[in-house]
Amino acid sequence: TNSTGTNSTASTGGGVLLQPLAPTGSVPGLAYHTATLVGQWMVVVGGLTAVEQYSSNVYALDTEAMTWRKLTADRPGLQVAGHTAVYDAAAARLLVYGGWVPVWTAQSVRSNQLFAFDIEQRMFVLLQPAGPAPPPLAGHSAVMLGQQMYVFGGSPELSSAPETCFGGSVYVFDLLCNGWSLLDSHMEWARVESATVAVNDTYMVNVGGFHGKTLADTLVLSSPAARCSSFGSQPACTEGVWCLWCATTATCSARTAAALADCSDAPSNNNSSS
């Protein structure tokens, strides 16, 4: 109730909008964890707890049956907080990047490791991508756009210098090439703890964050792959790793698993930079 003694939700005019659920099972109190939608399941990875500090478990809520289950009951998981987790639907796995990881009691460091959590096998696997990996990050954001995971912002170091305390770079992990690349970097957009969503697999929208003060701006980043169809020649199409030139049809398209399968001469398109 509010200060007048009435139900505070009644002021919405539409009844209760936010209300607690009572699912079967439970999870411990968590903060700095991630929640990723995988089909009908909300998969929760890591975070800080009052008991063990860094959670090593993965939990899943069946949003239809409203039932919690622990996915890492039979083996130890990954202890991490302040990380990101996105879903790679083609491989049925979560890609978990960065965050704070414990090194010993009462001591933790930022990580730049990339793990895959196999939904079926219920286990973490450390990936070893090619290319220059991003620096160790925490408080960053990440989204999937097509066959790439985009990582933006975050805190590279604990420092009083703005250029190391707040990150303004966009790194891309290409699933098909299994490699990292630096897409863009602008210190004027550097921030931590912002929120990012993917829109139609073509661009991401980022809002807010912190850079010495709370931020209220909105940023948009288009995937380079969204521009592939505008390239009319092979040199322009294959300048980067984002596009695929199909000589059979003389067309340029985003480098996706479907495009590789549809183009009969796709194997000859291997770009040395990937």
Side-chain angles (χ1 to χ4, degrees):
T1 60
N2 58 25
S3 59
T4 65
T6 60
N7 192 321
S8 60
T9 59
S11 61
T12 64
V16 177
L17 299 181
L18 184 64
Q19 55 186 320
L21 296 175
T24 304
S26 64
V27 295
L30 291 171
Y32 299 103
H33 51 290
T34 56
T36 308
L37 190 63
V38 179
Q40 70 190 55
W41 297 90
M42 181 179 73
V43 182
V44 175
V45 177
L48 297 180
T49 74
V51 177
E52 58 181 347
Q53 190 171 7
Y54 281 86
S55 172
S56 61
N57 291 311
V58 178
Y59 300 91
L61 174 68
D62 186 330
T63 58
E64 294 182 359
M66 285 300 161
T67 301
W68 280 107
R69 67 172 61 178
K70 182 191 275 187
L71 300 186
T72 48
D74 300 328
R75 55 177 61 90
L78 170 67
Q79 289 185 296
V80 66
H83 54 290
T84 53
V86 300
Y87 182 51
D88 173 13
R93 62 181 182 173
L94 293 179
L95 297 174
V96 180
Y97 176 74
W100 293 97
V101 295
V103 289
W104 57 77
T105 304
Q107 179 68 38
S108 59
V109 297
R110 293 170 179 80
S111 169
N112 69 343
Q113 292 183 319
L114 177 62
F115 286 85
F117 179 74
D118 189 296
I119 300 296
E120 296 296 327
Q121 298 297 321
R122 301 186 182 185
M123 62 183 295
F124 285 97
V125 176
L126 176 62
L127 303 181
Q128 302 286 351
L137 290 173
H140 52 289
S141 60
V143 296
M144 285 288 291
L145 294 178
Q147 297 295 309
Q148 289 90 30
M149 177 180 72
Y150 287 68
V151 174
F152 172 63
S155 175
E157 294 182 23
L158 186 59
S159 169
S160 59
E163 64 270 18
T164 57
C165 191
F166 305 103
S169 298
V170 180
Y171 290 89
V172 180
F173 172 64
D174 189 288
L175 278 65
L176 297 178
C177 295
N178 189 36
W180 284 107
S181 60
L182 174 62
L183 177 61
D184 207 353
S185 185
H186 293 283
M187 282 309 301
E188 62 267 33
W189 306 125
R191 64 199 59 211
V192 298
E193 304 297 345
S194 61
T196 306
V197 297
V199 182
N200 298 328
D201 259 359
T202 56
Y203 63 95
M204 72 179 200
V205 179
N206 178 276
V207 61
F210 183 82
H211 186 168
K213 62 179 181 180
T214 54
L215 304 173
D217 56 352
T218 302
L219 306 177
V220 176
L221 174 73
S222 297
S223 166
R227 302 193 296 269
C228 292
S229 60
S230 65
F231 299 130
S233 66
Q234 182 176 2
C237 178
T238 58
E239 183 176 356
V241 301
W242 318 102
C243 305
L244 174 74
W245 177 259
C246 187
T248 305
T249 58
T251 57
C252 184
S253 60
R255 181 182 285 270
T256 64
L260 287 166
D262 290 342
C263 185
S264 60
D265 61 345
S268 65
N269 279 277
N270 291 332
N271 189 297
S272 59
S273 63
S274 66

